[in-house]
Amino acid sequence: MLILLAGGLALWLLAAALVLSVCRAASRADEQSRGRRLARTGRRGATASLAVAAVALPALPAEASAACANRDVPFESNPTAVRDAMLCEIDAVRERRDVRRLRSNAELELAAARHATDMFERRYFSHVSPGGSDLADRARRSGFARDGCSWTVGEVLAWGIGPRSSAAGTVRAWMRSPSHRRIIVSGRYGQIGLGLQLGTPYPEYPGGVTAAAVLGRRHCS
């Protein structure tokens, strides 16, 4: 029983509970598409889900993609290094499944960066902004979704602090959820934009990262 625990052990358990309470990550996934055959009906409905990353007190285990440099570095320590590591982690999980590598796309990059910043500044965590704009709207505003083109986009969102703001922690959270994993490893996508914002959508969790990754494919006649 807890009342029989030695003082030192009781303090350790309290410290562990505190660590668990602030090392959380959450992620969402969404897909939308439009093609020539959808011209009369407009965009397809989006699918979205919420997953909370498993949290444990011990250090995060090494994985096959450990070759990615700086994969365990918290975002606020070195944002540029974490960004490169996150792209490396995504490439690594796709390579292990024999899926083509993703190419960076400036328009998807703009859509992802704008959304990550907007979630942080307006304190929400969703594919739909407080004003009602969604992934398809962001794809259009960035210039990726163009008239006369067929296009598909998928989006995964995450926030985390401490170890959960690292590249390894963020991609692991996505890969542990079927809906997010489906987007990350899908062969239908060939391009990616990654947006990372210092800070989380929640003031009670300062520091850390708000992340948005938008994967896409476009064919224009």
Side-chain angles (χ1 to χ4, degrees), residues 25-36:
S27 51
R28 291 180 181 267
D30 184 42
E31 289 185 282
Q32 294 181 334
S33 62
R34 181 172 179 175
R36 297 182 186 85

Side-chain angles (χ1 to χ4, degrees), residues 90 112 154-157 174 183-184 192-195 211-215:
I90 293 172
E155 179 180 76
V156 291
L157 309 177
W174 286 333
I183 292 175
I184 293 293
I192 187 172
L194 181 62
V214 183
L215 284 68

Side-chain angles (χ1 to χ4, degrees), residues 10-24 55-57 161-163 204-205:
L11 290 175
W12 185 92
L13 289 174
L14 288 173
L18 178 60
V19 171
L20 290 174
S21 71
V22 298
C23 290
R24 298 173 181 169
V55 180
L57 188 61
I161 64 175
E204 63 268 33
Y205 297 109

Side-chain angles (χ1 to χ4, degrees), residues 59-136:
L60 297 173
E63 296 181 348
S65 57
C68 292
N70 301 305
R71 67 190 302 268
D72 295 313
V73 174
F75 182 72
E76 58 192 278
S77 298
N78 194 331
T80 300
V82 173
R83 175 186 174 78
D84 292 343
M86 198 171 294
L87 291 171
C88 176
E89 290 284 302
I90 293 172
D91 277 339
V93 297
R94 289 174 66 89
E95 183 179 2
R96 290 199 295 273
R97 290 163 175 77
D98 294 323
V99 184
R100 60 177 171 167
R101 296 188 63 174
L102 297 168
R103 294 179 289 107
S104 293
N105 177 278
E107 295 154 338
L108 294 179
E109 191 87 10
L110 181 60
R114 284 175 172 173
H115 193 49
T117 300
D118 191 53
M119 287 190 293
F120 167 72
E121 292 182 345
R122 293 206 278 174
R123 302 299 186 185
Y124 71 96
F125 184 62
S126 173
H127 295 290
V128 181
S129 75
S133 63
D134 60 14
L135 174 57

